[in-house]
Amino acid sequence: NAGVTQTPKFQVLKTGQSMTLQCAQDMNHNSMYWYRQDPGMGLRLIYYSASEGTTDKGEVPNGYNVSRLNKREFSLRLESAAPSQTSVYFCASRRDFYQETQYFGPGTRLLVL
Amino acid sequence: ILNVEQSPQSLHVQEGDSTNFTCSFPSSNFYALHWYRWETAKSPEALFVMTLNGDEKKKGRISATLNTKEGYSYLYIKGSQPEDSATYLCALGGDDKIIFGKGTRLHILP
């Protein structure tokens, strides 16, 4: 099993450009999550999908959109990138229920100039 | 929005010493408390999940306790080693999402 995979690993964008971060999991998990990691801020939840066909906002959703394409894939889109979106983005998944552990992808490092 | 607080933010410990740090959370509507270990340039990895008041979990030299009534959890590391250097995250698990604290950054001094 590959677990949680993310593409790309690293990306440089100019302000105003758009891009989609891809995430896939092969563990048959129901829930998937997108976080951003910034120095001193820990992990902040951007959007999540508790099950296929549903998405909800997290703590910091502004400037992002998501798509739960199917049970395996959950993408994060930046429509018009801003320097404030420079960050490391982590995708995670978990099977179900509050006591289940989340499994994280390797992260995507995004630089917006 | 749920608030998960961790203290201290950063900690320097001599190799061989034991240490502990704290996670505080709202005690109402508690579901689960998670601890993760996060090494630099890697992804967070799960250490423990605790759900019941008084739970204690242990993994090698690392252990954790949970008090849901007063809203705190402690993580203990016994006999710190260089490989323990990492950020330790606690997170409050809800029915649909997990909210993370900002972490305690642990540095082990040789």
Side-chain angles (χ1 to χ4, degrees):
Chain A
N1 285 349
V4 181
T5 57
Q6 291 182 236
T7 55
K9 290 185 179 178
F10 180 71
Q11 183 74 45
V12 179
L13 290 179
K14 293 181 180 178
T15 297
Q17 286 185 316
S18 62
M19 80 161 293
T20 300
L21 282 65
Q22 305 287 353
C23 174
Q25 52 91 8
D26 62 0
M27 296 175 282
N28 201 35
H29 285 174
N30 288 318
S31 305
M32 297 185 74
Y33 307 83
W34 276 106
Y35 294 90
R36 59 178 289 173
Q37 179 223 346
D38 302 293
M41 301 299 289
L43 285 169
R44 291 185 293 170
L45 183 63
I46 305 171
Y47 270 94
Y48 66 99
S49 171
S51 62
E52 187 179 353
T54 68
T55 60
D56 283 286
K57 295 178 181 179
E59 302 169 74
V60 288
N62 291 345
Y64 305 95
N65 284 303
V66 289
S67 294
R68 183 75 182 267
L69 304 168
N70 47 54
K71 193 170 186 179
R72 288 188 66 248
E73 297 170 291
F74 188 39
S75 62
L76 179 73
R77 183 160 178 83
L78 287 70
E79 291 291 350
S80 179
S84 61
Q85 293 178 305
T86 293
S87 187
V88 181
Y89 292 85
F90 286 96
C91 177
S93 71
R94 70 172 176 172
R95 186 171 56 184
D96 216 339
F97 306 116
Y98 51 86
Q99 71 269 36
E100 295 283 343
T101 296
Q102 278 190 336
Y103 293 86
F104 285 83
T108 294
R109 188 173 295 272
L110 177 66
L111 175 62
V112 183
L113 301 174
Chain B
I1 293 179
L2 296 173
N3 202 25
V4 179
E5 300 282 347
Q6 291 189 248
S7 62
Q9 280 188 325
S10 181
L11 190 56
H12 290 78
V13 174
Q14 204 70 41
E15 182 178 349
D17 287 352
S18 297
T19 187
N20 65 84
F21 26 93
T22 307
C23 174
S24 302
F25 52 87
S27 54
S28 59
N29 294 322
F30 176 83
Y31 287 93
L33 192 287
H34 301 247
W35 280 101
Y36 287 80
R37 183 170 176 276
W38 192 6
E39 291 182 70
T40 303
K42 293 188 177 180
S43 305
E45 291 185 345
L47 286 171
F48 307 114
V49 180
M50 295 180 287
T51 57
L52 299 176
N53 185 45
D55 262 355
E56 291 187 27
K57 295 279 176 103
K58 188 175 181 182
K59 193 174 189 177
R61 294 179 292 99
I62 304 176
S63 60
T65 61
L66 178 66
N67 184 324
T68 60
K69 292 185 179 179
E70 295 182 41
Y72 65 84
S73 174
Y74 293 136
L75 189 80
Y76 300 91
I77 301 178
K78 186 177 178 182
S80 303
Q81 298 298 309
E83 60 265 28
D84 296 329
S85 292
T87 296
Y88 292 83
L89 297 171
C90 80
L92 203 57
D95 53 355
D96 55 2
K97 60 181 181 281
I98 294 178
I99 299 297
F100 286 84
K102 294 181 181 179
T104 292
R105 183 76 178 95
L106 177 64
H107 304 266
I108 306 301
L109 306 172

